[in-house]
Amino acid sequence: MKIVVAVKQVPERDAAIRVGADGRWIEEEDLSYTINEPDAYALEEALQLKEKHGGEVVVVGAGPERVTSTLREALAKGADRAIHVEAVDLGERDTLGVAQVLADAIAAEAPDLVLTGLQSDDLGLGQTGVVMAELLGLPHATIIMQVEVTASGLRVKQELEDGWFQHVEMPLPALLTMQSGGNKLRYATLMGIKKAKAKELKTETAAAAAASPSARLERVYLPQRQKHTEMLTGSPAEVAAKLVQILKNDVRVL
Amino acid sequence: MRVAMLHCGGATAIGFLGRAGDACLLGTLILAEPEHFSGTEITLLLLAMLASAGLFLQRLWPILQTIHHAQPEQDFHLRPLGRRTAAFVWEVLLQGKVIRQRPLPGLAHAFVFWGFLAFALVSLNHVATGLRLGFLPPQSWAGRFYFDFAAVWALLVAVSIVGLFVRRFFVRPIWLGEHLSYESGVIAGLIFLLMVSYLGAFAVAPGGSAVKLLWWSHTAALLVFLPLIPHTKHLHLVLSPLTVFLKRDSFAQIPRLHGDEDFGLVAGKDVTQLIALQTYSCVECGRCTEHCPAATTGKVLNPKEVVLGLRSYLNTVGPASEVPLLAEARPDTAYAPTLSMEAVFGCTTCGSCEFQCPVGIQHVPVIVGLRRGAVNTGTWEDDYGTKLFLALEKHGNALGLSAAERDKFVTKQGFPIFDGTQEYCLWLGCMGGYDPKGREIIADFARVMHFLGTSFGVLKKERCTGDPARRLGNDLLFGTLADSGLKSLEAAKVQKIVAICPHCVRTIAEDWREYGIAPQIEHHSEFMARHRDRLPQQQGQSIVYHDPCYLGRYREQYDAPRQVVQQAGALVEAPRHRERSFCCGAGGGLAFLGEEHGERVSHVRAQELVATGADVVGTACPFCNTMFRDALHETERQPQLLDIAQLTARALPSQPPGGEP
Ligand code: SF4
Ligand code: SF4
């Protein structure tokens, strides 16, 4: 089975984020980057499928030069090849534009299965995978925890709300967006890094944006921390009743 | 002359006066040697000698070949010779370690060893006599002196070997192994026969058939003994002096990896000549296991069996083989727990085994080497281990917390950021930066530094030194962390570091060397001991001090923390202390690997500390502190648990209101 995993490089979780001077994006200087967490799970699933059923795992990532470090890490963890779609203007494109860039590279590989994270840790739009499926003309399923290969295609475990899951059967080729936590991630090894040196990392240039974006970032800002204190007054019974209301309706813990 | 000798030889006439009686006056007994050897006898002797030497070589040769064909040792330097010579003199010639760590059997062993040395010349002359080439006539001045000298040793050897025999076959300490080694009995018998047949020759009349009989029995014992050496533990007679002389530079040193194909000890091909030599030198004394916190609390790990497991691998599979060393990676063969992942990942790297081993076997590099082989190739799968590695990869601390947590703590404490103007960089470490108890220790140590007027700052960003990754054999992760640590210290222009964690100290000072030279670092015990005159002297409480492995055996720092403790109260010693201190169970990354099987190491140690009756358990390592914090819930008495920094800080005047924290 040939599996393509689309990965995104995002700032480290605990990096100190500063908003850029134009207020439209973050300051990228001395920020450390890592693989988007749900994408790491997508890669893990791909590697496990390969270990079980054989085949090839190709990772695809778009963005500036720095993205290659994340691709190399994916090679070190066991991916066979990597494709870097070089593009410095991803910020200027909307989801469709980004998905198009990735879909172009993926289509050329004609994979049996495309995996990617359900959303990104930075923007969190949760659309790229789905739009890619549309562009590639593949059936898709989202928020997937587990993937099983069956005689006719796939059986996947999809997360619903409130701790519910459903199992879905689907044909191949297909695209799945993966949820975090469905697998155990593996640690990077010295042998993996050494082997990765000999693996292919191909760089392609992204085609120019086809259309002007239909959506763009207006303003980026750090969340304002708000402390809100409200005094409840009245008899103990009234206070208790009000408190229950707040806990139920506003805080929603009851 | 003959008459005098007879009397003297009969040992009844000491003090007999006569022309040739001066010797007797001096109390000299003279060794009786056969006077004549027939041609047949000489032929027989020559044949027996040839057979004995032949058998000896035939058995020794393959072992030497195995060692020779093992991976050549890289980065090995004979220099400095001084250190090697000193170790050789103390450990081999003076038998210092053997005696010090097991006094009675050690002394018995030392007598046998020294007796053997004294006997070298005797044996040479003995055999030479049989070939009519004797060079030390018993009647000569030199002969009389030397043979009497050797007789004293023979007596000591005979008594000692009987003692050792009784110990092995009747006292039977469990460390010698469950199975009685009958060959040891045979060898003890041979040694006894050697001594008795030698001593007997002082008591018989020269020229008689008894002399011949004694001579031949001595010869027979000698020639039977020789071929028994190579395939019994007595091989150490030949190898161990070399092993002690050649052992790797520093304690528990983890060697560098070389080239793109070296991932640690994966298969026979990775076993180096030094490791091979060491495995063949093991005398199976079990000292390593006796002191091993894992083995003595019911874990699978048994350091002696690791060594013997490697030896049997080399004997059966051979060096230069691709067959994996660890049992789990060799599913086709019968599972051998002795050399398995389960065993080697149970090691706290406390170094007791390596410290104890009388023949210079270095277990820690082997055990860590086997872990490296498993981790660097991704063969080791362990949920806790993976979680730890991912936490270190992602967050740069072993506790898996966000780095922002450390920033908050630093701000809250008002620790200045190191900017090159302060004297010390205070290294927080994972425990000091993220763990609640570790933070208390750091905060108290910072108060001590304030009190002493020593300026310090902390790094803006600090990542784990990589200690748990290093000890668990993850070279990629360790390398990344070491590299980034070195870079941030360099960028901040740090000259001197002080840390509360012996693991940080060891890793920065020794293990980082593979990646660059770190600034000078010391442990807070050393810092406080140096300034102890200016620290308040407290009275009253008795404090039992627990030596952390990484401060004691690894850094040989036993006195500094004790001086700090003595400043804070009355020092009490645990039964096992200083270089024999018993591990808390946290080292080697084990603090992060989840529940132990069997008895908990920390509980055993905590009970031992509590049993001293001391009011306070004093620690000098935040990991020991955490382990005991949990373990002390289950002891019959709960003494206070304080780090030496806390012991010191509690007597300091409280901060003036509004002053620096
Ligand atoms: S280092 Fe300590 S735990 Fe490991 S084998 Fe040696 S004695 Fe046992
Ligand atoms: S390794 Fe050393 S301490 Fe352990 S049994 Fe062998 S000789 Fe004794």
Side-chain angles (χ1 to χ4, degrees):
Chain A
M1 188 155 52
K2 183 171 181 180
I3 308 172
V4 171
V5 185
V7 299
K8 183 176 188 182
Q9 193 184 46
V10 295
E12 289 269 11
R13 271 253 166 125
D14 45 26
I17 304 279
R18 283 167 297 137
V19 176
D22 63 355
R24 282 167 182 270
W25 191 230
I26 52 172
E27 203 69 77
E28 293 205 351
E29 236 167 76
D30 49 68
L31 208 57
S32 30
Y33 285 89
T34 183
I35 186 170
N36 178 41
E37 194 174 51
D39 295 346
Y41 283 93
L43 174 64
E44 179 62 39
E45 185 63 55
L47 295 174
Q48 291 195 10
L49 286 172
K50 181 190 137 181
E51 278 158 12
K52 259 183 249 150
H53 307 286
E56 193 187 15
V57 174
V58 184
V59 279
V60 177
E65 166 70 30
R66 61 172 157 76
V67 172
T68 54
S69 70
T70 291
L71 294 175
R72 281 206 193 284
E73 267 169 46
L75 291 177
K77 295 221 171 172
D80 301 291
R81 283 191 290 125
I83 301 170
H84 171 216
V85 186
E86 197 160 22
V88 285
D89 63 342
L90 287 187
E92 309 289 311
R93 305 186 189 213
D94 58 6
T95 315
L96 177 62
V98 175
Q100 186 68 62
V101 165
L102 290 167
D104 287 348
I106 295 170
E109 290 291 331
D112 301 302
L113 181 63
V114 181
L115 298 180
T116 190
L118 71 108
Q119 63 182 19
S120 57
D121 288 342
D122 53 359
L123 288 173
L125 297 175
Q127 295 177 22
T128 313
V130 186
V131 178
M132 266 187 332
E134 183 64 27
L135 292 171
L136 291 166
L138 296 177
H140 74 269
T142 54
I143 328 186
I144 301 306
M145 306 289 297
Q146 272 169 17
V147 183
E148 240 177 275
V149 177
T150 61
S152 58
L154 296 176
R155 189 178 131 88
V156 298
K157 180 178 168 187
Q158 185 169 42
E159 191 184 66
L160 303 177
E161 294 220 331
D162 242 8
W164 285 81
F165 299 96
Q166 76 179 2
H167 289 273
V168 181
E169 305 248 358
M170 59 195 296
L172 278 175
L175 183 145
L176 305 172
T177 74
M178 304 297 295
Q179 169 66 301
S180 295
N183 274 315
K184 282 179 186 132
L185 298 180
R186 62 190 68 197
Y187 56 90
T189 66
L190 188 65
M191 189 192 234
I193 289 283
K194 297 246 154 115
K195 277 194 182 156
K197 278 191 203 158
K199 290 180 181 170
E200 181 190 292
L201 195 163
K202 192 167 68 179
T203 301
E204 292 173 359
T205 320
S212 59
S214 53
R216 58 178 290 176
L217 274 171
E218 262 306 296
R219 189 165 80 90
V220 174
Y221 58 93
L222 296 173
Q224 305 296 312
R225 233 214 233 136
Q226 282 177 351
K227 226 188 207 168
H228 179 66
T229 314
E230 191 184 324
M231 292 304 289
L232 302 179
T233 49
S235 71
E238 283 163 13
V239 172
K242 277 185 202 162
L243 190 60
V244 169
Q245 282 308 308
I246 292 172
L247 291 178
K248 236 186 205 157
N249 301 332
D250 300 353
V251 194
R252 292 199 202 159
V253 292
L254 290 181
Chain B
M1 182 77 180
R2 172 141 302 176
V3 179
M5 268 174 58
L6 247 177
H7 285 282
C8 285
T12 48
I14 295 187
F16 176 89
L17 281 172
R19 221 158 49 85
D22 325 270
C24 290
L25 244 192
L26 296 171
T28 313
L29 300 168
I30 294 179
L31 181 78
E33 273 181 353
E35 281 161 358
H36 180 75
F37 286 89
S38 68
T40 331
E41 278 177 312
I42 293 178
T43 320
L44 196 70
L45 174 64
L46 274 173
L47 284 176
M49 279 170 65
L50 254 151
S52 171
L55 269 173
F56 172 77
L57 284 177
Q58 189 203 12
R59 286 166 166 174
L60 184 65
W61 188 245
I63 295 170
L64 296 182
Q65 282 301 82
T66 303
I67 298 173
H68 177 70
H69 286 127
Q71 187 68 231
E73 203 66 39
Q74 309 230 29
D75 293 333
F76 178 83
H77 305 286
L78 261 186
R79 285 168 199 285
L81 281 173
R83 184 192 57 77
R84 292 189 188 281
T85 315
F88 186 82
V89 170
W90 171 247
E91 289 175 33
V92 179
L93 296 185
L94 298 178
Q95 297 274 291
K97 202 172 228 179
V98 181
I99 300 173
R100 213 169 143 188
Q101 299 299 328
R102 265 187 195 173
L104 261 183
L107 210 60
H109 179 274
F111 283 139
V112 175
F113 170 70
W114 293 325
F116 270 41
L117 289 188
F119 249 73
L121 198 64
V122 174
S123 300
L124 212 61
N125 182 64
H126 179 92
V127 180
T129 309
L131 301 173
R132 298 187 193 152
L133 297 168
F135 50 86
L136 199 61
Q139 304 85 350
S140 68
W141 178 86
R144 279 199 320 239
F145 167 77
Y146 198 82
F147 288 130
D148 285 6
F149 170 73
V152 175
W153 283 110
L155 213 64
L156 287 168
V157 171
V159 172
S160 300
I161 207 76
V162 170
L164 291 172
F165 181 84
V166 168
R167 173 171 181 268
R168 180 174 289 269
F169 287 90
F170 298 102
V171 182
R172 298 185 61 176
I174 55 166
W175 312 117
L176 295 179
E178 286 165 25
H179 304 288
L180 278 182
S181 141
Y182 288 99
E183 64 193 28
S184 302
V186 171
I187 289 198
L190 284 174
I191 295 176
F192 190 71
L193 181 61
L194 272 173
M195 297 306 130
V196 170
S197 55
Y198 175 72
L199 288 171
F202 286 93
V204 292
S209 57
V211 178
K212 258 289 164 54
L213 188 71
L214 282 173
W215 190 93
W216 273 109
S217 33
H218 191 87
T219 312
L222 205 62
L223 296 184
V224 171
F225 183 59
L226 192 66
L228 284 182
I229 292 176
H231 76 294
T232 64
K233 64 197 179 59
H234 295 83
L235 182 58
H236 81 279
L237 263 65
V238 184
L239 296 185
S240 74
L242 205 62
T243 315
V244 170
F245 188 75
L246 293 178
K247 63 182 170 184
R248 228 175 263 114
D249 266 354
S250 61
F251 185 76
Q253 188 195 40
I254 301 171
R256 262 170 214 267
L257 297 178
H258 291 274
D260 281 348
E261 294 298 317
D262 189 359
F263 300 110
L265 299 175
V266 178
K269 64 174 175 30
D270 304 306
V271 175
T272 65
Q273 291 175 331
L274 213 53
I275 296 178
L277 172 67
Q278 293 186 357
T279 58
Y280 281 109
S281 309
C282 175
V283 280
E284 300 167 41
C285 67
R287 291 172 190 232
C288 49
T289 304
E290 180 184 350
H291 293 269
C292 173
T296 52
T297 55
K299 314 292 189 287
V300 177
L301 172 63
N302 179 329
K304 165 175 151 180
E305 296 299 337
V306 171
V307 174
L308 296 180
L310 263 185
R311 183 199 285 183
S312 88
Y313 176 101
L314 289 177
N315 281 339
T316 53
V317 185
S321 160
E322 294 283 347
V323 176
L325 291 162
L326 291 172
E328 289 88 343
R330 269 210 278 177
D332 46 316
T333 42
Y335 179 72
T338 49
L339 200 62
S340 66
M341 280 190 221
E342 193 185 355
V344 295
F345 282 95
C347 170
T348 69
T349 66
C350 74
S352 279
C353 47
E354 184 163 331
F355 184 88
Q356 284 290 333
C357 181
V359 296
I361 293 172
Q362 297 172 300
H363 305 69
V364 179
V366 170
I367 291 173
V368 173
L370 290 163
R371 290 174 166 195
R372 290 171 118 178
V375 172
N376 286 335
T377 57
T379 325
W380 187 55
E381 286 172 22
D382 178 277
D383 289 351
Y384 287 104
T386 307
K387 202 172 148 213
L388 170 71
F389 293 155
L390 291 175
L392 286 168
E393 271 177 33
K394 226 176 150 64
H395 302 287
N397 69 78
L399 281 70
L401 296 171
S402 153
E405 295 298 317
R406 179 183 176 275
D407 302 342
K408 279 189 220 157
F409 170 67
V410 167
T411 318
K412 195 160 165 229
Q413 291 293 323
F415 290 153
I417 299 297
F418 187 88
D419 58 11
T421 60
Q422 301 97 335
E423 186 180 354
Y424 278 94
C425 166
L426 174 61
W427 184 269
L428 300 189
C430 296
M431 295 302 270
Y434 297 92
D435 174 71
K437 187 69 197 260
R439 287 175 170 182
E440 284 173 26
I441 300 173
I442 274 284
D444 273 346
F445 180 58
R447 281 183 58 205
V448 175
M449 291 186 95
H450 270 303
F451 175 78
L452 292 170
T454 310
S455 62
F456 69 89
V458 301
L459 288 184
K460 196 160 165 22
K461 290 269 167 254
E462 182 195 287
R463 302 172 83 197
C464 175
T465 60
D467 168 70
R470 174 68 154 175
R471 315 294 155 204
L472 284 170
N474 190 332
D475 281 279
L476 175 64
L477 187 51
F478 168 68
T480 318
L481 292 169
D483 207 45
S484 93
L486 279 162
K487 285 207 179 93
S488 52
L489 287 170
E490 198 189 305
K493 299 203 170 53
V494 172
Q495 303 285 331
K496 286 200 281 186
I497 316 171
V498 60
I500 59 160
C501 176
H503 294 263
C504 293
V505 175
R506 159 73 185 200
T507 308
I508 291 178
E510 297 287 332
D511 298 272
W512 279 15
R513 275 198 201 160
E514 233 175 78
Y515 298 87
I517 298 294
Q520 174 194 336
I521 182 166
E522 68 177 338
H523 186 243
H524 70 325
S525 64
E526 294 159 327
F527 175 86
M528 290 191 289
R530 218 176 31 249
H531 295 98
R532 66 180 180 281
D533 296 344
R534 292 170 50 210
L535 293 171
Q537 173 72 56
Q538 309 167 52
Q539 246 90 41
Q541 278 191 313
S542 56
I543 305 163
V544 58
Y545 172 68
H546 163 80
D547 287 277
C549 307
Y550 276 66
L551 188 60
R553 281 184 293 271
Y554 274 72
R555 200 172 161 82
E556 291 178 45
Q557 190 51 273
Y558 302 108
D559 296 331
R562 281 181 170 72
Q563 288 163 350
V564 180
V565 167
Q566 276 160 339
Q567 200 72 13
L571 172 70
V572 175
E573 292 290 6
R576 290 181 278 188
H577 61 275
R578 294 180 74 97
E579 68 274 349
R580 293 187 134 206
S581 177
F582 192 70
C583 185
C584 73
L590 260 58
F592 306 101
L593 291 197
E595 234 357 92
E596 301 174 37
H597 297 288
E599 209 176 355
R600 283 201 210 145
V601 176
S602 58
H603 286 201
V604 173
R605 182 57 169 173
Q607 256 147 25
E608 183 175 337
L609 296 172
V610 168
T612 59
D615 306 320
V616 183
V617 170
T619 59
C621 168
F623 282 102
C624 301
N625 200 299
T626 323
M627 297 309 275
F628 295 149
R629 193 181 349 154
D630 295 337
L632 283 174
H633 289 307
E634 317 226 337
T635 47
E636 71 270 18
R637 202 168 59 79
Q638 278 76 40
Q640 248 185 307
L641 173 68
L642 292 170
D643 184 87
I644 48 168
Q646 300 176 291
L647 281 168
T648 307
R650 65 180 182 173
L652 299 181
S654 52
Q655 304 291 324
E660 287 267 302

